[in-house]
Amino acid sequence: MSTRPQESDASAGKPKHTVLSLKAKYERGEPITVLTAYDYPTAQAVDAAGVDAILVGDSLAMVVLGLPNTLSLTVDAMLHHAKAVSRGAKRALLIGDMPFMSYQADTAEAVRNAGRFLAEGGMDAVKLEGGTPYVATVKAIVRAGIPVQGHIGLTPQSLNLLGGFRVQGRTAATAKALLDDALALEGAGCFSIVLESVPERLAALITERVSIPTIGIGAGPHTSGQVLVLHDILGLFSTFTPKFAKRYAELGETIRSAAEAYARDVRAHTFPGQEHSYSIPAEEWQSFLSSLGERGPKPAALPRPRRG
Ligand code: KIV
């Protein structure tokens, strides 16, 4: 298997992204591109596409593991995926999503868990959900030398408090609270903030008022960058499709028809063919059969696969 960069590898030869290179992009007014990835091959593909940052999102609970929400993921489960992604991606900034209850209960525990994403998971930064109440936690993690991305608006780990996956900040009071959260996270030292499922005007205003990049998902076009869940854009998750997700491929269909073609070939004895099979030198085969006290059939008499 070749490990050389492909001609179509947009990241080949380019330096690895850091929080500073993303800041420089932001300051130049260039949109920051972020996608999720959860394993080695998807990380390789997204990285080769030249996407600036890869989020190992806890959305993997739903789109990879088929769980109804993200609440049961553990740090160990996230690290399992983070390690695979870090083996596949060479250039993108890698952000590990801190799962439910890995940072909410205790600041020291939050710092230790964040550290594991870098030390064990090969990540460059972590993301955590929540605004003003998490200022002390963000400060402590940043003080430990770990870049933190904030995440406000629809925060799926608070699903039970929010009453479902709903758009946030649609009243004057909640819009003001989200602006305050964004300013508090900036003050705490976040290098960027994800704005999920908020009205586009509010996302634009927050983006204008903070001086760190905002990364939108369901937040309209006026944020500093965009993030989407990979399985949503690939057509690999069909339980539901959020309004904000644009499909760029139908890989679920592609996988299904490939699996159907394979099963058809096996049933029709047209797979495996000669080109997929291994041989043994004739004299070795004869000697093997002799050792069994048998005489071998002539090569022409080898059993052929039954057709149809
Ligand atoms: O878990 C995730 O994939 C996320 C993105 C939706 C931002 O948090």
Side-chain angles (χ1 to χ4, degrees):
M1 197 192 309
S2 169
T3 52
R4 280 178 300 143
Q6 305 290 299
E7 255 174 53
S8 59
D9 188 338
S11 67
K14 296 200 177 137
K16 182 171 162 60
H17 267 305
T18 63
V19 290
L20 288 186
S21 64
L22 287 200
K23 183 164 182 264
K25 270 198 120 173
Y26 162 70
E27 283 165 354
R28 291 193 299 270
E30 293 173 23
I32 295 168
T33 55
V34 187
L35 270 175
T36 65
Y38 312 106
D39 56 26
Y40 179 75
T42 55
Q44 267 192 322
V46 169
D47 194 61
V51 167
D52 301 318
I54 293 178
L55 170 68
V56 185
D58 64 356
S59 51
L60 74 86
M62 298 170 77
V63 302
V64 176
L65 304 179
L67 293 163
N69 56 52
T70 60
L71 300 183
S72 55
L73 272 191
T74 61
V75 173
D76 285 332
M78 288 300 297
L79 289 178
H80 182 68
H81 290 268
K83 287 175 191 175
V85 167
S86 73
R87 286 179 213 117
K90 300 293 165 240
R91 180 166 185 254
L93 182 84
L94 302 181
I95 306 167
D97 212 0
M98 297 192 68
F100 184 55
M101 279 303 129
S102 68
Y103 61 92
Q104 285 92 339
D106 181 73
T107 304
E109 193 184 14
V111 176
R112 271 192 290 275
N113 283 329
R116 291 188 68 194
F117 275 89
L118 273 65
E120 298 173 43
M123 299 288 100
D124 305 309
V126 297
K127 175 171 85 57
L128 56 84
E129 297 182 7
T132 311
Y134 290 94
V135 161
T137 309
V138 170
K139 280 186 177 167
I141 297 174
V142 172
R143 199 162 44 236
I146 302 166
V148 179
Q149 181 172 61
H151 180 165
I152 58 174
L154 170 54
T155 46
Q157 292 175 19
S158 305
L159 169 80
N160 291 302
L161 211 54
L162 302 177
F165 297 107
R166 295 163 183 278
V167 179
Q168 302 295 306
R170 273 182 151 163
T171 64
T174 55
K176 174 71 168 65
L178 283 176
L179 173 61
D180 290 345
D181 282 338
L183 292 167
L185 289 174
E186 179 186 8
C190 281
F191 75 91
S192 103
I193 305 172
V194 169
L195 302 178
E196 179 166 353
S197 296
V198 298
E200 63 170 290
R201 296 172 84 172
L202 175 61
L205 185 140
I206 291 174
T207 301
E208 206 178 277
R209 299 282 172 96
V210 297
S211 48
I212 53 175
T214 56
I215 307 296
I217 173 163
H222 307 295
T223 50
S224 323
Q226 298 288 332
V227 57
L228 279 178
V229 168
L230 186 68
H231 288 47
D232 285 339
I233 74 164
L234 296 183
L236 269 177
F237 180 69
S238 50
T239 310
F240 64 89
T241 307
K243 173 182 161 76
F244 55 71
K246 179 173 175 183
R247 280 206 190 192
Y248 290 84
E250 293 298 340
L251 290 198
E253 277 306 307
T254 305
I255 292 172
R256 204 187 80 165
S257 57
E260 277 171 2
Y262 160 75
R264 223 175 13 249
D265 277 358
V266 172
R267 290 183 194 120
H269 301 278
T270 54
F271 176 85
Q274 210 66 74
E275 68 277 29
H276 307 114
S277 306
Y278 300 104
S279 64
I280 178 171
E283 58 282 11
E284 291 299 329
W285 184 246
Q286 284 307 332
S287 141
F288 166 64
L289 289 180
S290 306
S291 75
L292 302 179
E294 293 172 18
R295 286 189 48 179
K298 295 201 169 64
L302 276 174
R304 305 301 308 162
R306 207 163 49 77
R307 305 274 151 184

